Amino acid sequence: MTDLDVTPARRSAGEVLSWSRAGVDPALRTAVDRLPESMRAIAGYHFGWWDEQGEPTGADPGKAIRPAFALLAAQAVGGAAATALPAAVAVELVHNFSLLHDDVMDGDTTRRHRPTAWSVFGVNAAILAGDALLTLALDVLAGSGHPSAARAIRALSDATQRLNDGQAADLAFEERGDVRVAECVRMAENKTAALIGAACAVGALYGDAEGHQVEQLRSFGELVGLAFQFTDDLLGIWGDPAVTGKPVYSDLNNRKKSLPVVAALASGTPAARELDELYHCDAQLGPAELERAAELIEATGARAWSLSQAEDLVARARVHLRAADPDDRAERELHSLARLATRRDR
């Protein structure tokens, strides 16, 4: 038994995330240490472990919510969290591969309250570091020696392909003025929900789950992941920079076709028409225009709709969670994490 499996009887979602981060970080650092030095320097900067000169920092490393889902999924089916550590590390590596590439493609200069890796080390270096993390994720699973490693690699590879497809759609939407709500939801299912679903599935596999448990937990994770994206898109417009690590209205400034934006544009209201003119003008939007765009989205009802969708998705996810016949404590904590996914600004 390891520290991962010695835990208090009752934990809040925040305590679960702290437990996950404390358990995963040492294994994550060990994995990253195997990278070539050029890639290791950028990866460690991105994770917040050190600055651009390699000096240790106290930077925000992120919440590690995906590894927490993997560890709890293993416990939910009667396995040990420590046994699922390779699954948790692999999922976190894939997630951060996507963040490194997303920051380049979106041109974002800030993540977790500090300059993005590409803005410090250059575009090409950041792309290569992301590639290295993806390769390392599969190597961690392959080298784990677990009987389900091959199935886990297939599950994580499938989720990564869906993630890439979702990112491609997200980028394509920026060039289109006719994005439909159903298309945007499908994009989010691929870009965000697939990996959280895979975190639950791979964690369950490493907990020696039955086939039906793996699939129910995957469905649970995917619904939570979609709720997570609805919340993330709201934070991308109205989020407090102290929480998001990005400027207020950052998604509007980048003309992102996020879920609330697409829903607002499709509403057929006078506010939608004004928003369409603002969103598709050639000039850069200033502070007043960005604030007006946010007001128009809210006026269409898209903000309230997004909040309602996130709440409904979490309720539907719990049905799948219970269908997996989970351990009582793990069920409570998985549901608590799911609720946190829709309340990150509270």
Side-chain angles (χ1 to χ4, degrees):
M1 184 175 289
T2 71
D3 289 345
L4 273 175
D5 295 301
V6 180
T7 55
R10 288 274 180 177
R11 298 184 296 185
S12 67
E15 289 169 335
V16 169
L17 290 177
S18 295
W19 161 79
S20 170
R21 173 57 73 194
V24 169
D25 256 6
L28 187 61
R29 286 174 180 261
T30 297
V32 170
D33 278 346
R34 304 207 310 263
L35 292 174
E37 176 56 30
S38 58
M39 300 296 98
R40 191 180 76 86
I42 300 168
Y45 172 86
H46 171 75
F47 280 115
W49 300 336
W50 49 70
D51 62 19
E52 57 267 40
Q53 278 81 44
E55 296 297 322
T57 68
D60 177 11
K63 291 185 174 62
I65 195 166
R66 291 160 186 81
F69 277 118
L71 297 176
L72 288 178
Q75 291 185 325
V77 298
T83 304
L85 196 53
V89 168
V91 167
E92 185 72 345
L93 287 168
V94 170
H95 173 54
N96 282 278
F97 136 76
S98 74
L99 297 184
L100 280 163
H101 284 200
D102 281 2
D103 286 342
V104 169
M105 288 182 273
D106 293 343
D108 286 336
T109 57
T110 304
R111 179 172 292 281
R112 298 169 185 157
H113 312 285
R114 64 205 295 254
T116 48
W118 75 263
S119 68
V120 173
F121 297 95
V123 168
N124 294 336
I127 290 171
L128 289 171
D131 293 343
L133 293 187
L134 177 57
T135 304
L136 182 61
L138 301 179
D139 185 62
V140 166
L141 293 178
S144 68
H146 194 279
S148 293
R151 292 172 64 194
I153 289 170
R154 291 290 300 274
L156 195 55
S157 295
D158 178 69
T160 304
Q161 295 286 23
R162 288 181 58 191
L163 185 159
N164 290 336
D165 186 43
Q167 175 67 1
D170 194 18
L171 292 170
F173 290 171
E174 294 178 20
E175 308 300 323
R176 291 174 47 193
D178 60 343
V179 180
R180 298 186 298 275
V181 173
E183 287 182 287
C184 198
V185 170
R186 181 61 179 166
M187 176 273 291
E189 288 173 342
N190 286 333
K191 182 177 177 180
T192 303
L195 186 57
I196 295 181
C200 293
V202 174
L205 284 169
Y206 272 68
D208 297 324
E210 300 290 337
H212 78 280
Q213 292 177 303
V214 174
E215 293 311 312
Q216 292 292 352
L217 285 167
R218 187 200 309 275
S219 295
F220 160 78
E222 290 202 5
L223 289 168
V224 171
L226 186 54
F228 187 98
Q229 188 60 58
F230 269 102
T231 302
D232 205 55
D233 285 353
L234 290 169
L235 290 174
I237 300 173
W238 292 282
D240 182 348
V243 175
T244 65
K246 295 184 178 183
V248 68
Y249 306 137
S250 60
D251 280 1
L252 299 183
N253 191 49
N254 292 332
R255 313 291 175 95
K256 296 284 289 185
K257 295 292 197 324
S258 62
L259 287 158
V261 169
V262 172
L265 290 170
S267 67
T269 61
R273 289 189 286 276
E274 185 179 343
L275 177 65
D276 185 71
E277 291 177 6
L278 266 179
Y279 226 64
H280 295 102
C281 70
D282 293 331
Q284 185 72 24
L285 299 180
E289 289 86 1
L290 290 171
E291 183 175 1
R292 180 57 179 162
E295 291 172 352
L296 291 167
I297 293 167
E298 186 156 16
T300 67
R303 184 178 189 177
W305 172 77
S306 294
L307 287 167
S308 175
Q309 289 293 304
E311 293 288 337
D312 180 63
L313 285 161
V314 171
R316 289 166 54 196
R318 193 169 198 184
V319 175
H320 288 282
L321 176 58
R322 288 172 170 165
D325 303 317
D327 167 83
D328 287 346
R329 172 180 170 157
E331 179 190 352
R332 287 196 304 271
E333 293 186 341
L334 282 166
H335 181 63
S336 178
L337 278 188
R339 298 294 303 169
L340 180 68
T342 64
R343 300 182 177 191
R344 283 174 288 148
D345 60 338
R346 302 180 195 179

